[in-house]
Short mmCIF file of all heavy atoms in Angstrom, two decimals:
data_model
loop_
_atom_site.label_atom_id
_atom_site.label_comp_id
_atom_site.label_asym_id
_atom_site.label_seq_id
_atom_site.Cartn_x
_atom_site.Cartn_y
_atom_site.Cartn_z
N HIS N 1 101.80 -133.64 98.23
CA HIS N 1 102.95 -133.89 97.39
C HIS N 1 103.47 -135.38 97.58
O HIS N 1 103.46 -135.96 98.56
CB HIS N 1 104.04 -132.98 97.93
CG HIS N 1 103.83 -131.44 97.79
ND1 HIS N 1 104.04 -130.80 96.57
CD2 HIS N 1 103.31 -130.54 98.68
CE1 HIS N 1 103.56 -129.54 96.86
NE2 HIS N 1 103.08 -129.36 98.11
N GLY N 2 103.75 -135.87 96.32
CA GLY N 2 104.26 -137.27 96.26
C GLY N 2 104.42 -137.69 94.87
O GLY N 2 104.59 -137.02 93.99
N MET N 3 104.61 -139.00 94.78
CA MET N 3 104.91 -139.82 93.59
C MET N 3 104.18 -141.06 93.48
O MET N 3 104.05 -141.75 94.50
CB MET N 3 106.43 -139.99 93.44
CG MET N 3 106.76 -140.84 92.21
SD MET N 3 108.57 -141.34 92.19
CE MET N 3 109.34 -139.82 91.63
N THR N 4 103.68 -141.36 92.37
CA THR N 4 103.12 -142.69 92.04
C THR N 4 103.97 -143.28 91.04
O THR N 4 104.27 -142.76 89.88
CB THR N 4 101.63 -142.50 91.52
OG1 THR N 4 100.96 -141.90 92.60
CG2 THR N 4 101.02 -143.82 91.35
N ILE N 5 104.24 -144.64 91.25
CA ILE N 5 104.83 -145.43 90.19
C ILE N 5 103.90 -146.60 89.84
O ILE N 5 103.44 -147.30 90.78
CB ILE N 5 106.26 -146.06 90.61
CG1 ILE N 5 107.16 -144.92 90.90
CG2 ILE N 5 106.67 -147.03 89.62
CD1 ILE N 5 108.53 -145.45 91.40
N THR N 6 103.35 -146.59 88.66
CA THR N 6 102.48 -147.68 88.24
C THR N 6 103.30 -148.79 87.63
O THR N 6 104.02 -148.57 86.73
CB THR N 6 101.37 -147.18 87.24
OG1 THR N 6 102.01 -146.63 86.18
CG2 THR N 6 100.39 -146.13 88.02
N THR N 7 103.17 -150.00 87.92
CA THR N 7 103.64 -151.12 87.37
C THR N 7 102.67 -151.86 86.41
O THR N 7 101.48 -152.03 86.83
CB THR N 7 104.28 -152.10 88.38
OG1 THR N 7 103.25 -152.65 89.21
CG2 THR N 7 105.34 -151.47 89.18
N VAL N 8 103.06 -152.27 85.25
CA VAL N 8 102.24 -152.88 84.28
C VAL N 8 102.92 -154.13 83.79
O VAL N 8 104.01 -154.14 83.37
CB VAL N 8 102.12 -151.85 83.12
CG1 VAL N 8 101.18 -152.45 81.95
CG2 VAL N 8 101.54 -150.55 83.56
N VAL N 9 102.04 -155.15 83.75
CA VAL N 9 102.43 -156.50 83.10
C VAL N 9 102.38 -156.30 81.56
O VAL N 9 101.28 -156.08 80.96
CB VAL N 9 101.61 -157.60 83.50
CG1 VAL N 9 102.03 -158.94 82.84
CG2 VAL N 9 101.76 -157.74 85.03
N VAL N 10 103.44 -156.40 80.85
CA VAL N 10 103.46 -156.17 79.43
C VAL N 10 103.00 -157.14 78.44
O VAL N 10 102.67 -156.85 77.42
CB VAL N 10 104.87 -155.53 78.93
CG1 VAL N 10 105.14 -154.24 79.59
CG2 VAL N 10 105.88 -156.55 79.06
N LYS N 11 103.05 -158.47 78.87
CA LYS N 11 102.62 -159.49 78.16
C LYS N 11 101.69 -160.38 78.87
O LYS N 11 101.97 -161.57 79.25
CB LYS N 11 103.74 -160.30 77.50
CG LYS N 11 104.79 -159.53 76.74
CD LYS N 11 104.13 -158.98 75.36
CE LYS N 11 103.95 -160.01 74.27
NZ LYS N 11 103.32 -159.56 73.08
N PRO N 12 100.45 -159.82 79.28
CA PRO N 12 99.69 -160.59 80.14
C PRO N 12 99.12 -161.89 79.41
O PRO N 12 98.79 -161.90 78.15
CB PRO N 12 98.54 -159.66 80.48
CG PRO N 12 98.59 -158.73 79.30
CD PRO N 12 100.03 -158.47 78.94
N LYS N 13 98.87 -162.93 80.31
CA LYS N 13 98.15 -164.09 79.80
C LYS N 13 96.70 -164.13 79.97
O LYS N 13 95.99 -164.91 79.32
CB LYS N 13 98.94 -165.35 80.52
CG LYS N 13 100.36 -165.51 80.25
CD LYS N 13 100.92 -166.73 80.97
CE LYS N 13 102.43 -166.88 80.77
NZ LYS N 13 102.76 -167.16 79.30
N SER N 14 96.26 -163.40 80.87
CA SER N 14 94.78 -163.36 81.15
C SER N 14 94.01 -162.85 79.94
O SER N 14 94.52 -161.93 79.21
CB SER N 14 94.56 -162.39 82.32
OG SER N 14 95.26 -162.76 83.49
N ARG N 15 92.91 -163.52 79.81
CA ARG N 15 91.98 -163.15 78.66
C ARG N 15 90.55 -162.99 79.07
O ARG N 15 90.02 -163.80 79.96
CB ARG N 15 92.06 -164.25 77.53
CG ARG N 15 93.33 -164.46 76.90
CD ARG N 15 93.72 -163.18 76.04
NE ARG N 15 94.96 -163.32 75.27
CZ ARG N 15 96.13 -162.95 75.69
NH1 ARG N 15 96.24 -162.56 76.93
NH2 ARG N 15 97.24 -163.10 74.84
N GLY N 16 89.86 -162.00 78.69
CA GLY N 16 88.60 -161.74 78.92
C GLY N 16 87.60 -161.78 77.77
O GLY N 16 88.01 -162.46 76.62
N TRP N 17 86.54 -160.96 77.70
CA TRP N 17 85.53 -161.16 76.58
C TRP N 17 84.70 -159.93 76.52
O TRP N 17 84.58 -159.13 77.45
CB TRP N 17 84.64 -162.40 76.83
CG TRP N 17 84.08 -162.55 78.15
CD1 TRP N 17 84.58 -163.33 79.15
CD2 TRP N 17 82.98 -161.98 78.81
NE1 TRP N 17 83.86 -163.31 80.34
CE2 TRP N 17 82.84 -162.51 80.01
CE3 TRP N 17 82.09 -161.04 78.38
CZ2 TRP N 17 81.83 -162.09 80.92
CZ3 TRP N 17 80.98 -160.56 79.26
CH2 TRP N 17 80.89 -161.06 80.50
N VAL N 18 84.05 -159.70 75.30
CA VAL N 18 83.25 -158.61 75.09
C VAL N 18 81.87 -159.41 74.63
O VAL N 18 81.92 -160.18 73.68
CB VAL N 18 83.60 -157.67 74.03
CG1 VAL N 18 82.55 -156.57 73.69
CG2 VAL N 18 84.85 -156.93 74.53
N ARG N 19 80.64 -159.01 75.24
CA ARG N 19 79.40 -159.65 74.80
C ARG N 19 78.33 -158.47 74.63
O ARG N 19 78.53 -157.39 75.23
CB ARG N 19 78.92 -160.64 75.74
CG ARG N 19 79.78 -161.84 75.88
CD ARG N 19 79.47 -162.75 76.99
NE ARG N 19 80.40 -163.90 77.14
CZ ARG N 19 80.49 -164.58 78.26
NH1 ARG N 19 79.71 -164.40 79.37
NH2 ARG N 19 81.50 -165.42 78.39
N LEU N 20 77.35 -158.83 73.78
CA LEU N 20 76.26 -157.85 73.73
C LEU N 20 75.48 -157.82 75.09
O LEU N 20 75.35 -158.84 75.74
CB LEU N 20 75.25 -158.39 72.69
CG LEU N 20 75.79 -158.31 71.21
CD1 LEU N 20 74.67 -158.88 70.25
CD2 LEU N 20 76.28 -156.92 70.78
N ARG N 21 75.00 -156.64 75.34
CA ARG N 21 74.17 -156.46 76.50
C ARG N 21 72.69 -156.60 75.96
O ARG N 21 71.77 -157.22 76.82
CB ARG N 21 74.20 -155.06 76.97
CG ARG N 21 73.55 -154.90 78.36
CD ARG N 21 73.84 -153.37 78.91
NE ARG N 21 75.22 -153.17 79.11
CZ ARG N 21 75.80 -153.45 80.21
NH1 ARG N 21 75.36 -154.01 81.22
NH2 ARG N 21 77.21 -153.17 80.38
N SER N 22 72.37 -156.20 74.71
CA SER N 22 71.08 -156.39 74.15
C SER N 22 71.17 -156.31 72.69
O SER N 22 72.35 -156.01 72.15
CB SER N 22 70.04 -155.34 74.74
OG SER N 22 70.37 -154.10 74.22
N ALA N 23 70.08 -156.30 72.01
CA ALA N 23 70.10 -156.12 70.55
C ALA N 23 69.93 -154.53 70.17
O ALA N 23 69.99 -154.14 69.07
CB ALA N 23 69.02 -156.77 69.86
N ASP N 24 69.77 -153.78 71.19
CA ASP N 24 69.80 -152.28 71.04
C ASP N 24 71.04 -151.60 70.76
O ASP N 24 71.93 -151.77 71.66
CB ASP N 24 69.14 -151.70 72.30
CG ASP N 24 68.98 -150.15 72.10
OD1 ASP N 24 69.35 -149.60 71.18
OD2 ASP N 24 68.27 -149.60 73.07
N PRO N 25 71.31 -151.09 69.58
CA PRO N 25 72.68 -150.52 69.36
C PRO N 25 73.10 -149.35 70.25
O PRO N 25 74.34 -149.09 70.34
CB PRO N 25 72.55 -149.93 67.91
CG PRO N 25 71.35 -150.62 67.33
CD PRO N 25 70.52 -151.03 68.41
N ALA N 26 72.09 -148.76 70.89
CA ALA N 26 72.58 -147.80 72.01
C ALA N 26 73.09 -148.32 73.25
O ALA N 26 73.76 -147.54 73.97
CB ALA N 26 71.26 -146.85 72.31
#
């Protein structure tokens, strides 16, 4: 029994990326 409070940064400055793993659409 307990409680979790999650805190979230609502306007983050950090930026990441998405790249292809291969040319295979799967």
Side-chain angles (χ1 to χ4, degrees):
H1 297 276
M3 173 191 282
T4 302
I5 297 175
T6 58
T7 59
V8 178
V9 177
V10 295
K11 300 295 284 187
K13 297 181 182 298
S14 302
R15 294 294 185 270
W17 44 263
V18 176
R19 296 174 187 160
L20 292 176
R21 190 177 301 274
S22 75
D24 184 351

